[in-house]
Coordinates of all heavy atoms in Angstrom, one line a residue:
M93 N -12.3 -33.1 -1.1 CA -11.6 -32.0 -0.3 C -11.0 -32.5 1.1 O -11.7 -33.1 1.8 CB -12.5 -30.8 0.0 CG -12.3 -29.6 -1.0 SD -13.2 -28.2 -0.5 CE -14.8 -28.6 -1.4
A94 N -9.7 -32.3 1.2 CA -9.0 -32.7 2.4 C -9.1 -31.7 3.5 O -9.0 -30.5 3.3 CB -7.6 -33.1 2.1
T95 N -9.5 -32.1 4.7 CA -9.5 -31.2 5.8 C -8.0 -31.0 6.3 O -7.2 -31.8 6.1 CB -10.3 -31.7 7.0 OG1 -9.9 -33.0 7.3 CG2 -11.8 -31.7 6.6
V96 N -7.8 -29.8 6.9 CA -6.4 -29.5 7.4 C -6.5 -29.3 8.9 O -7.6 -29.2 9.5 CB -5.9 -28.3 6.7 CG1 -5.5 -28.5 5.3 CG2 -6.8 -27.1 6.8
D97 N -5.4 -29.4 9.5 CA -5.2 -29.2 11.0 C -5.4 -27.8 11.5 O -4.4 -27.3 12.0 CB -4.0 -29.9 11.5 CG -4.0 -30.1 12.9 OD1 -5.0 -30.2 13.5 OD2 -2.9 -30.2 13.5
V98 N -6.4 -27.2 11.2 CA -6.7 -25.8 11.5 C -8.1 -25.7 12.1 O -9.0 -26.4 11.6 CB -6.5 -24.9 10.2 CG1 -6.9 -23.5 10.5 CG2 -5.1 -25.0 9.7
K99 N -8.2 -24.8 13.1 CA -9.5 -24.6 13.6 C -10.2 -23.3 13.2 O -9.3 -22.3 13.2 CB -9.5 -24.7 15.1 CG -9.5 -26.1 15.7 CD -9.5 -26.1 17.2 CE -9.5 -27.5 17.8 NZ -9.4 -27.5 19.2
C100 N -11.4 -23.3 13.0 CA -12.1 -22.1 12.8 C -11.9 -21.1 13.9 O -12.2 -21.5 15.0 CB -13.5 -22.2 12.4 SG -14.4 -20.7 12.2
P101 N -11.5 -19.8 13.7 CA -11.4 -18.9 14.9 C -12.7 -18.5 15.5 O -12.7 -18.1 16.7 CB -10.7 -17.7 14.3 CG -11.0 -17.8 12.8 CD -11.2 -19.2 12.5
L102 N -13.8 -18.7 14.8 CA -15.1 -18.3 15.3 C -15.8 -19.5 16.0 O -16.2 -19.4 17.2 CB -15.9 -17.8 14.2 CG -17.2 -17.1 14.7 CD1 -16.9 -15.9 15.4 CD2 -18.1 -16.8 13.5
C103 N -16.0 -20.6 15.4 CA -16.8 -21.7 15.9 C -15.8 -22.8 16.5 O -16.3 -23.8 17.1 CB -17.8 -22.3 14.9 SG -16.9 -23.1 13.6
E104 N -14.5 -22.7 16.3 CA -13.5 -23.7 16.7 C -13.8 -25.1 16.1 O -13.4 -26.2 16.6 CB -13.5 -23.8 18.2 CG -13.1 -22.4 18.8 CD -12.5 -22.6 20.2 OE1 -13.0 -23.3 21.0 OE2 -11.5 -22.0 20.4
S105 N -14.5 -25.1 14.9 CA -14.7 -26.4 14.3 C -13.4 -26.8 13.5 O -12.7 -25.9 13.2 CB -15.9 -26.2 13.3 OG -15.8 -27.2 12.3
C106 N -13.2 -28.1 13.4 CA -12.1 -28.5 12.6 C -12.5 -28.8 11.2 O -11.6 -29.2 10.4 CB -11.5 -29.8 13.4 SG -10.8 -29.5 14.9
K107 N -13.7 -28.5 10.9 CA -14.1 -28.7 9.5 C -13.6 -27.5 8.7 O -14.4 -26.7 8.2 CB -15.6 -28.8 9.4 CG -16.2 -30.1 9.9 CD -17.6 -30.1 9.5 CE -18.4 -31.1 10.4 NZ -19.8 -31.0 10.3
V108 N -12.3 -27.5 8.5 CA -11.8 -26.3 7.8 C -11.1 -26.9 6.6 O -10.3 -27.8 6.7 CB -10.8 -25.6 8.7 CG1 -10.1 -24.6 7.9 CG2 -11.7 -24.9 9.7
V109 N -11.2 -26.2 5.4 CA -10.4 -26.7 4.2 C -9.7 -25.5 3.6 O -10.0 -24.3 3.9 CB -11.4 -27.2 3.1 CG1 -12.1 -28.5 3.6 CG2 -12.4 -26.2 2.7
K110 N -8.7 -25.9 2.9 CA -7.9 -24.8 2.3 C -8.7 -24.2 1.2 O -9.4 -24.8 0.5 CB -6.6 -25.4 1.6 CG -5.6 -25.8 2.8 CD -4.2 -26.3 2.1 CE -3.2 -26.5 3.2 NZ -1.9 -27.1 2.7
F111 N -8.5 -22.8 1.0 CA -9.4 -22.1 0.1 C -8.5 -21.1 -0.6 O -8.8 -20.0 -0.6 CB -10.5 -21.4 1.0 CG -11.6 -20.9 0.2 CD1 -12.6 -21.9 -0.3 CD2 -11.9 -19.7 0.0 CE1 -13.7 -21.4 -1.1 CE2 -13.0 -19.2 -0.8 CZ -13.8 -20.1 -1.3
G112 N -7.5 -21.7 -1.3 CA -6.7 -20.8 -2.1 C -5.8 -19.9 -1.2 O -5.7 -20.1 0.0
T113 N -5.4 -18.8 -1.9 CA -4.5 -17.9 -1.1 C -5.0 -16.4 -1.2 O -5.8 -16.1 -2.1 CB -3.1 -17.9 -1.7 OG1 -3.1 -17.7 -3.1 CG2 -2.4 -19.2 -1.4
S114 N -4.7 -15.6 -0.3 CA -5.0 -14.2 -0.3 C -4.2 -13.4 -1.4 O -3.2 -14.0 -1.8 CB -4.9 -13.6 1.1 OG -3.4 -13.4 1.3
P115 N -4.5 -12.2 -1.7 CA -3.7 -11.4 -2.6 C -2.3 -11.3 -2.2 O -1.4 -11.1 -3.0 CB -4.4 -10.1 -2.6 CG -5.9 -10.3 -2.2 CD -5.8 -11.5 -1.2
E116 N -2.0 -11.4 -0.9 CA -0.6 -11.4 -0.3 C 0.1 -12.7 -0.4 O 1.2 -12.9 0.0 CB -0.6 -10.9 1.1 CG -1.1 -9.4 1.3 CD -2.7 -9.5 1.5 OE1 -3.2 -10.4 2.2 OE2 -3.4 -8.6 1.0
G117 N -0.6 -13.7 -0.9 CA 0.0 -15.0 -1.1 C -0.1 -15.9 0.2 O 0.6 -16.9 0.3
K118 N -1.0 -15.4 1.2 CA -1.1 -16.3 2.4 C -2.2 -17.3 2.2 O -3.1 -17.1 1.5 CB -1.5 -15.3 3.6 CG -0.3 -14.5 4.0 CD -0.7 -13.5 5.0 CE 0.4 -12.7 5.4 NZ 0.0 -11.5 6.2
Q119 N -2.1 -18.4 2.9 CA -3.0 -19.5 2.8 C -4.4 -19.0 3.4 O -4.5 -18.5 4.5 CB -2.6 -20.7 3.5 CG -3.5 -21.8 3.5 CD -3.6 -22.4 2.0 OE1 -2.7 -22.8 1.5 NE2 -4.9 -22.4 1.6
R120 N -5.4 -19.2 2.6 CA -6.8 -18.9 3.1 C -7.5 -20.2 3.4 O -7.3 -21.2 2.8 CB -7.5 -18.1 2.0 CG -8.8 -17.4 2.4 CD -9.6 -17.0 1.2 NE -8.9 -15.8 0.6 CZ -9.1 -14.5 1.0 NH1 -10.0 -14.3 2.0 NH2 -8.6 -13.5 0.5
Y121 N -8.3 -20.1 4.4 CA -9.1 -21.3 4.8 C -10.6 -21.0 4.8 O -11.0 -19.9 4.9 CB -8.7 -21.7 6.2 CG -7.3 -22.1 6.4 CD1 -6.3 -21.2 6.8 CD2 -6.9 -23.5 6.0 CE1 -4.9 -21.6 6.8 CE2 -5.6 -23.8 6.1 CZ -4.6 -23.0 6.5 OH -3.4 -23.4 6.5
Q122 N -11.4 -22.0 4.6 CA -12.8 -21.9 4.7 C -13.4 -22.8 5.7 O -13.0 -23.9 5.8 CB -13.4 -22.2 3.3 CG -14.9 -22.0 3.3 CD -15.5 -22.4 1.9 OE1 -15.2 -23.4 1.4 NE2 -16.5 -21.5 1.4
C123 N -14.3 -22.2 6.5 CA -15.0 -23.0 7.6 C -16.1 -23.8 6.8 O -16.9 -23.2 6.2 CB -15.5 -22.1 8.6 SG -16.3 -23.1 9.9
R124 N -16.2 -25.1 7.1 CA -17.3 -25.9 6.4 C -18.4 -26.1 7.4 O -19.3 -26.9 7.0 CB -16.7 -27.1 5.9 CG -15.5 -27.1 4.9 CD -16.0 -26.6 3.6 NE -16.6 -27.6 2.9 CZ -17.2 -27.4 1.7 NH1 -17.2 -26.3 1.1 NH2 -17.7 -28.5 1.1
N125 N -18.4 -25.6 8.5 CA -19.5 -25.8 9.5 C -20.6 -24.9 9.0 O -20.6 -23.7 9.0 CB -19.0 -25.3 10.9 CG -20.1 -25.4 11.9 OD1 -21.1 -25.9 11.6 ND2 -19.8 -25.1 13.2
S126 N -21.8 -25.5 8.7 CA -22.9 -24.8 8.0 C -23.5 -23.8 9.1 O -24.1 -22.8 8.6 CB -23.9 -25.7 7.4 OG -24.3 -26.6 8.4
A127 N -23.3 -24.0 10.3 CA -23.9 -23.2 11.4 C -23.0 -22.1 11.6 O -23.5 -21.1 12.5 CB -24.1 -24.0 12.7
C128 N -21.9 -22.0 11.0 CA -20.9 -20.9 11.4 C -20.9 -19.7 10.4 O -21.0 -20.0 9.2 CB -19.5 -21.5 11.4 SG -18.2 -20.3 11.7
S129 N -21.0 -18.5 10.8 CA -21.1 -17.5 9.9 C -19.7 -17.0 9.4 O -19.7 -16.1 8.4 CB -21.7 -16.3 10.7 OG -21.0 -15.8 11.7
K130 N -18.7 -17.5 9.9 CA -17.4 -17.2 9.4 C -17.1 -18.0 8.1 O -17.2 -19.2 8.1 CB -16.3 -17.6 10.5 CG -14.9 -17.1 10.1 CD -14.6 -15.8 10.9 CE -13.3 -15.2 10.6 NZ -13.2 -13.8 11.0
N131 N -17.0 -17.3 7.0 CA -16.8 -17.9 5.8 C -15.4 -18.4 5.5 O -14.9 -19.5 5.7 CB -17.4 -17.2 4.7 CG -17.5 -18.0 3.4 OD1 -17.3 -19.2 3.4 ND2 -18.0 -17.3 2.3
T132 N -14.5 -17.4 5.2 CA -13.1 -17.7 4.9 C -12.3 -16.8 5.9 O -12.7 -15.8 6.3 CB -12.8 -17.4 3.5 OG1 -12.9 -16.0 3.2 CG2 -13.5 -18.2 2.4
F133 N -11.1 -17.3 6.2 CA -10.2 -16.6 7.0 C -8.7 -17.0 6.8 O -8.5 -18.0 6.1 CB -10.6 -16.9 8.5 CG -10.4 -18.3 8.9 CD1 -9.2 -18.8 9.4 CD2 -11.5 -19.3 8.7 CE1 -9.2 -20.2 9.8 CE2 -11.5 -20.6 9.1 CZ -10.2 -21.0 9.5
L134 N -7.9 -16.1 7.2 CA -6.5 -16.4 7.1 C -5.9 -16.7 8.5 O -6.2 -16.1 9.5 CB -5.7 -15.1 6.7 CG -6.1 -14.6 5.3 CD1 -5.4 -13.2 5.0 CD2 -5.8 -15.5 4.2
L135 N -5.2 -17.8 8.6 CA -4.7 -18.4 9.9 C -3.8 -17.3 10.5 O -4.0 -17.0 11.7 CB -4.1 -19.7 9.6 CG -3.7 -20.4 11.0 CD1 -5.0 -20.7 11.7 CD2 -2.9 -21.6 10.7
E136 N -2.9 -16.9 9.7 CA -1.9 -15.9 10.3 C -2.6 -14.6 10.8 O -2.4 -14.1 11.9 CB -0.9 -15.5 9.3 CG 0.1 -16.7 8.9 CD 1.0 -16.2 7.8 OE1 1.8 -15.3 8.1 OE2 0.9 -16.8 6.7
Y137 N -3.4 -14.2 10.0 CA -4.2 -13.0 10.2 C -5.0 -13.1 11.5 O -5.0 -12.1 12.3 CB -5.2 -12.8 9.0 CG -6.1 -11.6 9.0 CD1 -5.6 -10.4 8.4 CD2 -7.2 -11.5 9.7 CE1 -6.4 -9.2 8.5 CE2 -8.0 -10.4 9.7 CZ -7.6 -9.3 9.1 OH -8.4 -8.1 9.1
T138 N -5.6 -14.2 11.8 CA -6.5 -14.3 12.8 C -5.7 -14.5 14.2 O -6.1 -14.2 15.2 CB -7.5 -15.5 12.7 OG1 -6.7 -16.7 12.3 CG2 -8.5 -15.1 11.7
H139 N -4.5 -15.0 14.1 CA -3.7 -15.3 15.3 C -2.6 -14.3 15.6 O -2.4 -14.1 16.8 CB -3.1 -16.7 15.2 CG -4.1 -17.8 15.4 ND1 -4.6 -18.2 16.6 CD2 -4.7 -18.5 14.4 CE1 -5.5 -19.2 16.3 NE2 -5.6 -19.4 15.0
K140 N -2.0 -13.7 14.6 CA -0.9 -12.9 14.9 C -1.2 -11.7 15.8 O -0.3 -11.3 16.6 CB -0.4 -12.2 13.5 CG 0.9 -12.9 13.1 CD 1.4 -12.2 11.9 CE 2.7 -12.8 11.4 NZ 3.1 -12.2 10.1
G141 N -2.3 -11.1 15.7 CA -2.7 -9.9 16.5 C -2.6 -10.1 18.0 O -2.7 -9.2 18.7
Y142 N -2.7 -11.4 18.3 CA -2.9 -11.6 19.8 C -1.5 -12.0 20.4 O -1.5 -12.1 21.7 CB -3.8 -12.7 20.1 CG -5.2 -12.4 19.4 CD1 -5.6 -12.9 18.2 CD2 -6.0 -11.5 20.1 CE1 -6.9 -12.5 17.7 CE2 -7.2 -11.1 19.6 CZ -7.7 -11.6 18.4 OH -8.8 -11.3 17.9
L143 N -0.5 -12.1 19.7 CA 0.8 -12.4 20.2 C 1.4 -11.2 20.9 O 1.3 -10.1 20.3 CB 1.8 -13.0 19.1 CG 1.4 -14.2 18.5 CD1 2.4 -14.5 17.3 CD2 1.6 -15.4 19.5
P144 N 2.0 -11.4 22.1 CA 2.6 -10.2 22.8 C 3.6 -9.5 21.9 O 3.8 -8.2 22.0 CB 3.3 -10.9 24.0 CG 2.6 -12.2 24.1 CD 2.2 -12.6 22.9
E145 N 4.4 -10.2 21.2 CA 5.5 -9.6 20.4 C 4.9 -8.7 19.3 O 5.5 -7.6 18.9 CB 6.5 -10.5 19.9 CG 6.0 -11.6 19.2 CD 5.9 -12.9 20.0 OE1 5.4 -12.9 21.2 OE2 6.4 -14.0 19.7
I146 N 3.8 -9.1 18.8 CA 3.1 -8.3 17.8 C 2.5 -7.0 18.4 O 2.7 -6.0 17.8 CB 1.9 -9.1 17.1 CG1 2.5 -10.3 16.4 CG2 1.2 -8.2 16.2 CD1 3.4 -9.9 15.1
K147 N 1.9 -7.2 19.6 CA 1.5 -6.0 20.3 C 2.6 -5.0 20.6 O 2.4 -3.8 20.4 CB 0.9 -6.3 21.7 CG -0.4 -7.2 21.6 CD -0.9 -7.5 22.9 CE -2.2 -8.3 22.7 NZ -2.8 -8.6 24.0
Q148 N 3.8 -5.5 20.9 CA 4.9 -4.6 21.2 C 5.3 -4.0 19.9 O 5.6 -2.7 19.9 CB 6.1 -5.5 21.7 CG 7.2 -4.7 22.2 CD 6.9 -3.7 23.3 OE1 6.1 -3.9 24.2 NE2 7.4 -2.5 23.2
K149 N 5.3 -4.7 18.8 CA 5.7 -4.2 17.5 C 4.7 -3.0 17.1 O 5.1 -2.0 16.5 CB 5.6 -5.2 16.4 CG 6.9 -6.1 16.5 CD 7.8 -5.8 15.3 CE 9.1 -6.3 15.4 NZ 9.1 -7.9 15.5
I150 N 3.4 -3.2 17.4 CA 2.4 -2.2 17.0 C 2.8 -0.9 17.7 O 2.8 0.2 17.1 CB 1.0 -2.6 17.5 CG1 0.5 -3.8 16.6 CG2 0.0 -1.4 17.3 CD1 -0.8 -4.4 17.1
I151 N 3.1 -1.0 19.0 CA 3.5 0.2 19.8 C 4.7 0.9 19.2 O 4.8 2.0 19.0 CB 3.7 -0.1 21.3 CG1 2.4 -0.9 21.8 CG2 4.0 1.0 22.1 CD1 1.1 -0.1 21.7
E152 N 5.8 0.0 18.9 CA 7.0 0.5 18.5 C 6.8 1.2 17.2 O 7.4 2.3 16.9 CB 8.0 -0.6 18.3 CG 8.7 -1.1 19.6 CD 9.5 -2.3 19.4 OE1 9.9 -2.6 18.3 OE2 9.8 -2.9 20.5
M153 N 6.1 0.6 16.2 CA 5.9 1.2 15.0 C 5.2 2.5 15.0 O 5.5 3.5 14.3 CB 5.3 0.2 14.0 CG 6.1 -0.9 13.5 SD 5.3 -1.9 12.2 CE 5.4 -0.8 10.8
T154 N 4.2 2.6 15.9 CA 3.5 3.8 16.0 C 4.3 4.9 16.6 O 4.2 6.1 16.1 CB 2.3 3.5 16.9 OG1 1.5 2.5 16.5 CG2 1.3 4.7 17.0
M155 N 5.1 4.5 17.6 CA 6.0 5.6 18.1 C 7.1 6.0 17.1 O 7.6 7.1 17.2 CB 6.7 5.0 19.4 CG 5.6 4.8 20.5 SD 6.2 4.7 22.2 CE 7.6 3.9 22.1
N156 N 7.4 5.2 16.2 CA 8.3 5.5 15.1 C 7.6 6.3 13.9 O 8.3 6.5 12.9 CB 9.1 4.3 14.6 CG 10.1 3.8 15.5 OD1 10.6 4.6 16.3 ND2 10.3 2.5 15.6
G157 N 6.4 6.5 14.1 CA 5.7 7.3 13.0 C 5.0 6.5 12.1 O 4.6 7.1 11.1
S158 N 4.9 5.2 12.2 CA 4.1 4.6 11.2 C 2.6 4.7 11.3 O 2.1 4.7 12.5 CB 4.5 3.0 11.2 OG 5.9 2.8 11.0
G159 N 1.9 4.8 10.2 CA 0.5 4.8 10.3 C -0.1 3.5 10.5 O 0.5 2.4 10.4
I160 N -1.4 3.5 10.8 CA -2.2 2.3 11.1 C -2.1 1.4 9.9 O -1.9 0.1 9.9 CB -3.6 2.6 11.5 CG1 -3.7 3.1 12.9 CG2 -4.5 1.3 11.4 CD1 -4.9 3.9 13.2
R161 N -2.2 1.9 8.7 CA -2.2 1.1 7.5 C -0.9 0.5 7.3 O -0.8 -0.7 6.9 CB -2.7 2.0 6.3 CG -3.3 1.1 5.2 CD -3.5 2.0 3.9 NE -4.4 3.1 4.1 CZ -4.6 4.0 3.3 NH1 -4.0 4.0 2.1 NH2 -5.5 5.0 3.4
D162 N 0.2 1.2 7.4 CA 1.6 0.7 7.3 C 1.7 -0.4 8.4 O 2.3 -1.5 8.0 CB 2.6 1.8 7.5 CG 2.7 2.7 6.4 OD1 2.3 2.2 5.2 OD2 3.1 3.8 6.5
T163 N 1.4 -0.2 9.6 CA 1.7 -1.2 10.6 C 0.9 -2.5 10.4 O 1.5 -3.5 10.5 CB 1.2 -0.5 12.0 OG1 1.7 0.7 12.1 CG2 1.5 -1.4 13.2
S164 N -0.3 -2.4 9.9 CA -1.1 -3.6 9.7 C -0.5 -4.3 8.5 O -0.4 -5.6 8.5 CB -2.6 -3.3 9.5 OG -2.8 -2.7 8.2
R165 N 0.0 -3.6 7.5 CA 0.5 -4.3 6.3 C 1.8 -5.0 6.6 O 2.0 -6.1 6.3 CB 0.7 -3.2 5.2 CG 1.1 -3.9 3.9 CD 1.1 -2.8 2.8 NE 1.6 -1.5 3.2 CZ 2.9 -1.3 3.1 NH1 3.8 -2.1 2.7 NH2 3.3 0.0 3.5
V166 N 2.7 -4.2 7.3 CA 4.0 -4.8 7.7 C 3.9 -6.0 8.6 O 4.6 -7.0 8.4 CB 4.9 -3.6 8.3 CG1 6.2 -4.3 8.9 CG2 5.3 -2.6 7.2
L167 N 3.0 -5.9 9.5 CA 2.9 -7.0 10.5 C 2.0 -8.2 10.0 O 1.9 -9.2 10.6 CB 2.4 -6.4 11.8 CG 3.4 -5.5 12.5 CD1 2.8 -4.9 13.8 CD2 4.8 -6.1 12.8
G168 N 1.2 -7.8 9.0 CA 0.2 -8.9 8.5 C -0.9 -9.1 9.3 O -1.4 -10.2 9.5
I169 N -1.3 -8.1 10.0 CA -2.5 -8.2 10.8 C -3.6 -7.1 10.4 O -3.3 -6.2 9.6 CB -2.2 -7.8 12.3 CG1 -1.5 -6.4 12.4 CG2 -1.2 -8.9 12.8 CD1 -1.2 -6.0 13.9
G170 N -4.7 -7.3 10.9 CA -5.8 -6.3 10.4 C -5.7 -4.9 11.0 O -5.1 -4.8 12.2
Q171 N -6.2 -4.0 10.3 CA -6.2 -2.6 10.8 C -7.0 -2.5 12.1 O -6.6 -1.7 13.0 CB -6.7 -1.6 9.8 CG -5.8 -1.5 8.5 CD -6.3 -0.5 7.6 OE1 -7.0 0.4 8.0 NE2 -5.9 -0.6 6.3
N172 N -8.0 -3.2 12.2 CA -8.9 -3.2 13.4 C -8.0 -3.7 14.6 O -8.2 -3.2 15.7 CB -10.1 -4.1 13.3 CG -11.1 -3.4 12.4 OD1 -11.1 -2.2 12.1 ND2 -12.0 -4.1 11.8
T173 N -7.1 -4.6 14.4 CA -6.4 -5.1 15.5 C -5.4 -4.1 15.9 O -5.2 -3.8 17.2 CB -5.5 -6.4 15.0 OG1 -6.4 -7.3 14.4 CG2 -4.8 -7.0 16.1
V174 N -4.8 -3.3 15.0 CA -3.9 -2.2 15.3 C -4.6 -1.2 16.1 O -4.2 -0.7 17.1 CB -3.3 -1.7 14.0 CG1 -2.4 -0.5 14.3 CG2 -2.5 -2.7 13.3
I175 N -5.8 -0.8 15.6 CA -6.5 0.3 16.3 C -6.9 -0.1 17.7 O -6.8 0.6 18.6 CB -7.8 0.6 15.4 CG1 -7.4 1.2 14.1 CG2 -8.8 1.5 16.3 CD1 -8.5 1.3 13.0
S176 N -7.4 -1.4 17.8 CA -7.9 -1.8 19.2 C -6.7 -1.9 20.1 O -6.8 -1.6 21.4 CB -8.6 -3.1 19.2 OG -7.7 -4.1 18.7
E177 N -5.5 -2.2 19.7 CA -4.4 -2.3 20.5 C -3.9 -0.9 20.9 O -3.6 -0.7 22.1 CB -3.1 -2.9 19.8 CG -3.1 -4.4 19.9 CD -3.2 -4.9 21.4 OE1 -2.5 -4.4 22.2 OE2 -4.1 -5.7 21.5
L178 N -4.0 0.0 20.0 CA -3.7 1.5 20.4 C -4.6 2.0 21.3 O -4.2 2.8 22.2 CB -3.5 2.3 19.0 CG -2.4 1.9 18.1 CD1 -2.4 2.7 16.9 CD2 -1.0 2.0 18.7
K179 N -5.9 1.7 21.2 CA -6.9 2.2 22.1 C -6.7 1.7 23.5 O -6.7 2.4 24.5 CB -8.3 1.8 21.7 CG -8.9 2.7 20.6 CD -10.4 2.3 20.3 CE -10.9 3.1 19.2 NZ -12.0 2.5 18.6
K180 N -6.3 0.4 23.6 CA -6.0 -0.2 24.9 C -4.8 0.5 25.5 O -4.8 0.9 26.8 CB -5.7 -1.7 24.7 CG -6.9 -2.6 24.8 CD -6.5 -4.0 24.7 CE -7.0 -4.8 23.6 NZ -6.4 -6.1 23.3
K181 N -3.8 0.7 24.7 CA -2.6 1.4 25.2 C -2.9 2.9 25.8 O -2.5 3.3 26.8 CB -1.6 1.5 24.1 CG -0.2 1.8 24.6 CD 0.5 0.6 25.2 CE 1.8 0.9 25.7 NZ 2.4 -0.2 26.6
N182 N -3.7 3.6 25.0 CA -4.1 4.9 25.3 C -4.8 4.9 26.7 O -4.6 5.8 27.6 CB -5.0 5.5 24.3 CG -4.1 6.1 23.1 OD1 -2.9 6.3 23.3 ND2 -4.7 6.3 22.0
Q183 N -5.7 3.9 26.9 CA -6.5 3.9 28.1 C -5.6 3.7 29.3 O -5.9 4.3 30.3 CB -7.6 2.8 28.0 CG -8.8 3.3 27.2 CD -9.7 2.1 26.9 OE1 -9.4 1.0 27.2 NE2 -10.8 2.4 26.2
K184 N -4.7 2.8 29.1 CA -3.8 2.6 30.2 C -2.9 3.7 30.5 O -2.7 4.1 31.8 CB -2.8 1.4 29.8 CG -3.3 0.0 30.2 CD -2.4 -1.1 29.8 CE -3.2 -2.4 29.5 NZ -2.3 -3.3 28.8
S185 N -2.4 4.5 29.5 CA -1.5 5.6 29.9 C -2.3 6.8 30.5 O -1.6 7.7 31.1 CB -0.7 6.0 28.6 OG -1.7 6.5 27.6
K186 N -3.6 6.9 30.2 CA -4.4 8.0 30.8 C -4.6 7.8 32.3 O -4.8 8.8 33.0 CB -5.7 8.0 30.2 CG -5.6 9.0 28.8 CD -7.1 9.0 28.2 CE -7.0 9.5 26.8 NZ -8.0 9.2 26.0
M187 N -4.5 6.6 32.8 CA -4.8 6.4 34.1 C -3.6 6.7 35.1 O -2.5 6.7 34.8 CB -5.1 4.9 34.4 CG -6.5 4.6 33.9 SD -7.1 3.0 34.6 CE -7.3 2.0 33.3
Ligands
ZN270 ZN1 -16.4 -21.7 11.9

């Protein structure tokens, strides 16, 4: 098995191998660090949610009436990421 130039989002180990694709056709990776509890992950999935432009898109889509499920599917991020972004935004606007 060849290792790829990807780091595990949890333990930051480079012992990561390609592990097929997700149902959406995205590359899935597996962490080979035996001490790490993160088994498989999607690179895009784990990184996209933290980009400022994605955060902006979450807000825009929500204001346009998109639900959390739609937003996460269209942007290719987790529903939890969408929810936590919206929570952060709500907290800010209340102050
Ligand atoms: Zn790991």
Side-chain angles (χ1 to χ4, degrees):
M93 256 187 273
T95 52
V96 289
D97 190 22
V98 172
K99 280 184 181 176
C100 171
L102 190 66
C103 67
E104 300 202 315
S105 162
C106 292
K107 284 188 201 167
V108 168
V109 294
K110 287 187 178 179
F111 196 71
T113 52
S114 74
E116 300 86 37
K118 288 177 183 163
Q119 181 66 55
R120 189 189 291 275
Y121 296 95
Q122 184 184 41
C123 180
R124 303 286 287 174
N125 180 357
S126 56
C128 177
S129 59
K130 190 98 181 163
N131 192 6
T132 62
F133 60 92
L134 300 174
L135 189 63
E136 291 176 69
Y137 181 92
T138 49
H139 286 282
K140 253 188 184 173
Y142 301 102
L143 293 172
E145 50 262 52
I146 295 295
K147 291 182 181 179
Q148 189 56 42
K149 283 253 166 61
I150 292 172
I151 306 303
E152 278 173 20
M153 286 189 68
T154 303
M155 292 200 323
N156 288 330
S158 296
I160 287 162
R161 209 188 296 173
D162 284 338
T163 307
S164 74
R165 186 170 45 82
V166 170
L167 298 178
I169 57 177
Q171 289 184 28
N172 287 338
T173 309
V174 177
I175 292 165
S176 65
E177 273 312 307
L178 293 176
K179 274 186 187 159
K180 273 187 240 167
K181 195 79 185 170
N182 279 341
Q183 276 166 1
K184 269 181 207 162
S185 60
K186 270 180 197 160
M187 282 198 244

